[in-house]
Amino acid sequence: MNDLLKPPEENFTALMEFILLGFSDVPHLRWVLFGLFFLIYTMILFGNGTILLITKIDPALQTPMYFFLGNFSLLEICYVSVTLPRMLIDLVTQRRTISFIACATQMCCILILGAIECFLLAVMAYDRYVAICNPLHYPLIMNHKLCTQLLIGSWLSGIPFQVGQTLQIFSLPFCSSNQINHFFCDIPPLLSLACGDIFVNEMMVYIAAVLLVLVPFLLILISYGKIISTILKLPSTASQAKAFSTCSSHLAVVGLFFGSAIITYLRPSNSYSSGTDKVLSLFYTIVTPLFNPMVYSLRNKDVIMALRKFLCK
């Protein structure tokens, strides 16, 4: 009787590796997708790399705002490099297999970098709040020491929790299937493969999403609530337009990243859909890093001037 209750022997071998199905349901678009994602990856590296470079070398951009922007561009390069190269290799080779350790490492890196992005966006919102609501005290408050501390805090904040969450998820028995219907190792598709009681794991995902995604998002909303209140009190329309222009780029990135991330990790597990999850994941892993340099350069005169000087040199 006990033998009947045990999973088949071959199901345990699935723990050695997973299969990332990715876009295998559209094999006729294989090379089209490869060309598209390769172009996107190149644009992300070039765009964010350029922003990172000019914020380091241009004297006019040596302010807290551009200090955080440069580090945000570096983060975007790291974030997209965890998923896109692997996806490109899978599209070319059609192997799609990923080892158990590699899958856990990829997930851990994505979760940590995602948490860093949430906190860094909150820090950037706080920087705009101080600049607009307390302009006279801005150089005193946002000094180099505080900026460095905020940056280090953002980079270290999510590491312990996300490492623990990764270990917890990969300690589950995956005895039903080893096929992940996704283009990278993410929490929702992996939990759908786990057998046994995953209630605790789902609760940990919700807790992590609230602490590492929702709390920074609420802090951003509070900052921008005070910013908008201050802007509306400015005497001239020109002053209001200038103040709004310094915030609009950041708000666009915040809306794109947090909107897709909150829907992915805070929606009920019974409403999980692999197709929807892939689309949402494309937004916060690829679309946001792609549009980050565009929205910050096209709507920022200082960045445009720095780019012109850099290109002339």
Side-chain angles (χ1 to χ4, degrees):
M1 184 66 181
N2 291 333
D3 293 335
L4 294 175
L5 296 175
K6 293 180 181 178
E9 183 71 24
E10 61 269 16
N11 288 333
F12 288 103
T13 61
L15 292 176
M16 299 300 296
E17 64 180 19
F18 291 102
I19 299 174
L20 289 169
L21 296 181
F23 301 97
S24 58
D25 53 336
V26 284
H28 56 288
L29 297 177
R30 168 189 169 191
W31 291 110
V32 175
L33 291 172
F34 174 82
L36 176 64
F37 288 127
F38 181 79
L39 177 62
I40 289 174
Y41 187 49
T42 305
M43 291 172 65
I44 290 172
L45 293 181
F46 178 77
N48 285 283
T50 303
I51 296 290
L52 175 61
L53 182 62
I54 63 172
T55 55
K56 296 297 181 185
I57 66 173
D58 194 285
L61 302 184
Q62 303 308 305
T63 63
M65 175 182 174
Y66 298 109
F67 171 73
F68 293 125
L69 177 58
N71 281 276
F72 186 70
S73 294
L74 173 62
L75 174 65
E76 296 286 52
I77 291 172
C78 297
Y79 196 52
V80 77
S81 296
V82 177
T83 56
L84 258 182
R86 171 82 205 193
M87 184 166 60
L88 291 172
I89 292 171
D90 288 344
L91 284 169
V92 172
T93 63
Q94 294 289 287
R95 286 183 58 192
R96 301 195 184 95
T97 57
I98 183 170
S99 69
F100 187 82
I101 298 297
C103 189
T105 303
Q106 186 186 54
M107 174 187 282
C108 190
C109 290
I110 290 169
L111 293 178
I112 290 173
L113 292 171
I116 294 170
E117 185 155 344
C118 292
F119 283 108
L120 191 53
L121 285 170
V123 167
M124 293 169 75
Y126 175 72
D127 172 71
R128 291 298 84 209
Y129 159 73
V130 177
I132 293 173
C133 299
N134 297 286
L136 297 178
H137 297 95
Y138 179 70
L140 183 64
I141 297 173
M142 298 302 293
N143 55 66
H144 181 72
K145 181 180 179 181
L146 179 63
C147 290
T148 304
Q149 289 173 342
L150 289 172
L151 182 65
I152 293 173
S154 299
W155 278 87
L156 298 179
S157 55
I159 292 177
F161 199 98
Q162 300 293 38
V163 170
Q165 184 167 226
T166 302
L167 292 173
Q168 185 186 42
I169 289 174
F170 278 85
S171 64
L172 291 169
F174 298 97
C175 54
S176 57
S177 173
N178 70 333
Q179 295 186 347
I180 302 174
N181 193 5
H182 212 295
F183 56 88
F184 66 91
C185 294
D186 200 9
I187 293 177
L190 271 163
L191 285 181
S192 68
L193 298 181
C195 50
D197 187 10
I198 60 171
F199 176 77
V200 174
N201 301 90
E202 290 178 339
M203 287 301 101
M204 289 298 292
V205 172
Y206 289 128
I207 292 171
V210 169
L211 293 177
L212 305 178
V213 180
L214 202 56
V215 169
F217 182 64
L218 292 176
L219 292 174
I220 292 171
L221 291 182
I222 292 170
S223 297
Y224 275 103
K226 294 183 177 182
I227 288 171
I228 292 171
S229 176
T230 302
I231 290 175
L232 294 177
K233 294 176 184 177
L234 294 176
S236 67
T237 307
S239 300
Q240 292 178 353
K242 183 178 179 181
F244 270 121
S245 67
T246 64
C247 304
S248 58
S249 301
H250 183 250
L251 275 174
V253 175
V254 166
L256 195 62
F257 178 79
F258 277 98
S260 54
I262 288 172
I263 295 172
T264 300
Y265 294 107
L266 282 176
R267 74 182 189 271
S269 58
N270 56 10
S271 65
Y272 171 76
S273 167
S274 58
T276 304
D277 199 53
K278 285 181 188 179
V279 174
L280 291 171
S281 299
L282 285 173
F283 274 97
Y284 65 81
T285 58
I286 297 176
V287 177
T288 302
L290 175 64
F291 281 99
N292 170 46
M294 295 182 189
V295 296
Y296 277 110
S297 59
L298 293 177
R299 297 188 59 84
N300 192 303
K301 293 180 180 179
D302 292 335
V303 174
I304 292 174
M305 289 298 295
L307 281 171
R308 286 175 179 172
K309 287 191 290 183
F310 176 72
L311 292 174
C312 288
K313 289 179 181 180

